[in-house]
Amino acid sequence: MEQKLLKKIDTYKQDVIDLQTHMIACPALSPQEGGKGENQKAVYLLSVLKQMKFDEVSVINVKDPKAEGGIRPNIMAKYYGENKRKTLWVMAHMDVVPAGDLSLWKTDPFKAVVKGDKIYGRGSEDNQQGLVSGLLAVKAMMDLGVRPPCNYALLFNADEEMGSEYGLLSILKNHIHLFGKEDEFLVPDGGIADGTMVEVAEKNMLWAKITVMGKQTHASTPKAGSNANRAAAYLIVTLDEQLHKKFNKKNNLFAPEVSSTFEPTKREANVPNVNTIPGREVLYLDCRILPCYTNKEVLAEIGKIAKQIEKKFNVKIKIEAIINDVSKPTDPAKQVVQLTQSAVRAVYKNKPRIMGVGGGTVGAYLRNVGFPAVVYSKLDETMHQPNEYSSIKNTLGDAKVFALVAMRFK
Ligand SMILES: [Zn+2]
């Protein structure tokens, strides 16, 4: 039966093109980005889902007065398995990011152009490739009249690109009863070109904004002020040394960055002229912290170091966590992880690796409320770029991976 499913999926090339063409023509941009939201795209997808043999299709509308129709739609479609109490979910997002600089596009970003194996258009890869793969996996089961051991369900979310407030976070907060305790998730919204990354963990993310306040004065009379720039420079160097030394544990799941990372990144402009000693410096630290440490511990250490610098340079230092996200890992022994790894090996004949990444996918939201979640796709990683495209071969390959996982998920 598995072989029949895989063969069936090979016949869906035109379906990939049709689905992508319709979706690329619906610019599902967030109202915060000047768009209308996902409504038009959701209406199209619902028409597709209703023609298929799903046992349940429902929409969760999250109110957003700025969006078309005043709502941000989230769609769920379930195909029953033999055991109806347990579900394998494939979750993708409908919203896309803006096209960006149009002069960098060779084609209209909101009109699909097919060239060989590639379909060009905004959203084609992020996240329509995953959405289409999830859809075609279940289409094959339906076309062959096969039921998986457990339910197979699709969840198409709104608002992933802008933080999921009108999407997954709202569903987890207000409709968590829609999920069963034993449900597991596949999230086809991240991957690498050779398709070997099976992502199960993310580092905790901490973005610190650090404001150093001294006293501005003329550069010829430094004793009359206190130089915030010098204090900030010492602070960065000290943080760099001390944080790496204190939080030095390694975890090979996160190769190649096996340790926590602490990177000084943005620095705001200070004074416009050379002969003024700045009285204020604002700098930022991007920390990706292994799950064995807490963000709180790191913040406390940053605070301790800041105190030393305050004393030494006669400045005041304010520390704010502008991003403070914690991410629990999924146990690699979980079914969805093991099944994804073996299905990838079977479909692509490669060596898939269970891995952790630096952080930043919606997988973290699922893991934090206790659901096992795997982030997997085979992607050329053109998302958010001009001339974004999706590979038809990868779309069908990933559909095969999901179909195999579904047929083996018990
Ligand atoms: Zn995405």
Side-chain angles (χ1 to χ4, degrees):
M1 184 44 72
E2 286 185 350
Q3 287 312 312
K4 276 190 186 160
L5 279 168
L6 302 190
K7 278 217 176 88
K8 192 76 197 165
I9 290 169
D10 276 328
T11 67
Y12 291 157
K13 184 178 168 191
Q14 193 56 44
D15 298 85
V16 178
I17 295 170
D18 291 346
L19 286 160
Q20 284 278 17
T21 302
H22 278 98
M23 285 195 282
I24 289 167
C26 305
L29 290 163
S30 160
Q32 285 148 279
E33 307 258 33
K36 293 181 182 173
E38 301 81 0
N39 200 32
Q40 189 193 2
K41 197 162 174 177
V43 167
Y44 164 68
L45 282 169
L46 281 168
S47 74
V48 172
L49 296 172
K50 291 206 169 124
Q51 283 163 26
M52 296 170 73
K53 294 171 189 152
F54 283 100
D55 298 294
E56 288 176 31
V57 176
S58 58
V59 185
I60 294 172
N61 287 320
V62 181
K63 273 198 196 118
D64 181 359
K66 292 192 285 314
E68 184 180 57
I71 49 117
R72 308 293 294 276
N74 296 271
I75 301 174
M76 291 180 165
K78 198 176 265 184
Y79 182 59
Y80 291 155
E82 279 147 38
N83 171 4
K84 295 187 183 61
R85 279 193 302 268
K86 190 171 170 182
T87 303
L88 174 73
W89 293 87
V90 177
M91 185 177 91
H93 62 88
M94 293 184 282
D95 58 312
V96 301
V97 296
D101 185 347
L102 285 178
S103 70
L104 299 175
W105 283 81
K106 293 190 188 105
T107 61
D108 180 346
F110 295 108
K111 191 172 177 294
V113 173
V114 184
K115 280 184 201 159
D117 180 52
K118 294 172 181 164
I119 305 175
Y120 289 86
R122 177 52 88 227
S124 57
E125 186 179 75
D126 183 13
N127 191 204
Q128 285 155 207
Q129 180 178 316
L131 190 156
V132 172
S133 296
L135 197 63
L136 295 181
V138 66
K139 179 177 160 56
M141 295 178 230
M142 291 170 175
D143 286 352
L144 293 174
V146 185
R147 292 279 174 181
C150 295
N151 303 330
Y152 177 94
L154 300 169
L155 174 54
F156 301 152
N157 288 325
D159 196 34
E160 189 273 343
E161 298 289 358
M162 301 297 286
S164 293
E165 194 194 329
Y166 300 97
L168 182 60
L169 285 178
S170 174
I171 296 171
L172 292 176
K173 199 172 152 207
N174 303 309
H175 304 276
I176 195 144
H177 62 275
L178 292 168
F179 306 115
K181 276 202 179 66
E182 297 178 299
D183 291 3
E184 302 192 17
F185 286 77
L186 268 169
V187 184
D189 192 19
I192 52 179
D194 66 4
T196 56
M197 184 175 81
V198 178
E199 193 249 274
V200 298
E202 291 169 33
K203 290 178 184 170
N204 299 328
M205 233 179 5
L206 173 65
W207 292 2
K209 176 184 181 184
I210 303 173
T211 307
V212 181
M213 283 152 299
K215 186 165 177 263
Q216 184 175 317
T217 187
H218 195 280
S220 64
T221 57
K223 284 202 177 72
S226 48
N227 192 331
N229 190 346
R230 179 181 288 113
Y234 273 87
L235 177 63
I236 290 178
V237 172
T238 314
L239 286 171
D240 195 32
E241 282 173 5
Q242 299 297 322
L243 293 176
H244 283 105
K245 204 159 127 192
K246 184 166 171 104
F247 303 102
N248 63 354
K249 280 189 193 150
K250 292 184 168 75
N251 182 339
N252 287 327
L253 203 60
F254 292 89
E257 298 285 355
V258 293
S259 308
S260 301
T261 59
F262 305 97
E263 290 297 306
T265 53
K266 179 172 160 178
R267 194 148 172 178
E268 289 181 13
N270 52 22
V271 290
N273 50 320
V274 176
N275 57 352
T276 296
I277 286 174
R280 185 173 179 267
E281 285 283 333
V282 183
L283 52 121
Y284 295 81
L285 199 62
D286 177 321
C287 312
R288 310 285 166 134
I289 301 156
L290 286 180
C292 61
Y293 299 115
T294 66
N295 291 7
K296 215 171 143 193
E297 285 173 86
V298 174
L299 270 172
E301 187 64 17
I302 294 173
K304 211 170 95 189
I305 293 162
K307 279 272 169 295
Q308 299 163 7
I309 299 290
E310 279 184 335
K311 230 166 136 190
K312 193 167 172 190
F313 295 95
N314 191 29
V315 292
K316 279 269 161 264
I317 299 173
K318 189 167 121 193
I319 298 153
E320 296 159 86
I322 53 171
I323 298 268
N324 191 351
D325 286 348
V326 178
S327 178
K328 284 188 203 152
T330 285
D331 179 355
K334 285 288 173 191
Q335 229 192 135
V336 70
V337 182
Q338 293 298 318
L339 292 179
T340 303
Q341 191 181 29
S342 57
V344 169
R345 200 182 292 123
V347 170
Y348 291 119
K349 320 276 181 243
N350 59 7
K351 290 198 180 85
R353 228 156 43 89
I354 295 168
M355 286 176 70
V357 297
T361 84
V362 282
Y365 300 141
L366 295 167
R367 291 171 188 147
N368 285 344
V369 295
F371 291 118
V374 164
V375 177
Y376 179 81
S377 335
K378 187 170 188 291
L379 284 184
D380 285 354
E381 294 193 88
T382 63
M383 65 282 248
H384 298 215
Q385 294 174 22
N387 307 306
E388 176 180 354
Y389 70 82
S390 157
S391 150
I392 298 170
K393 240 187 243 157
N394 288 348
T395 310
L396 295 176
D398 286 359
K400 292 179 190 176
V401 170
F402 303 158
L404 288 183
V405 175
M407 292 311 291
R408 297 167 182 180
F409 182 76
K410 290 198 170 100

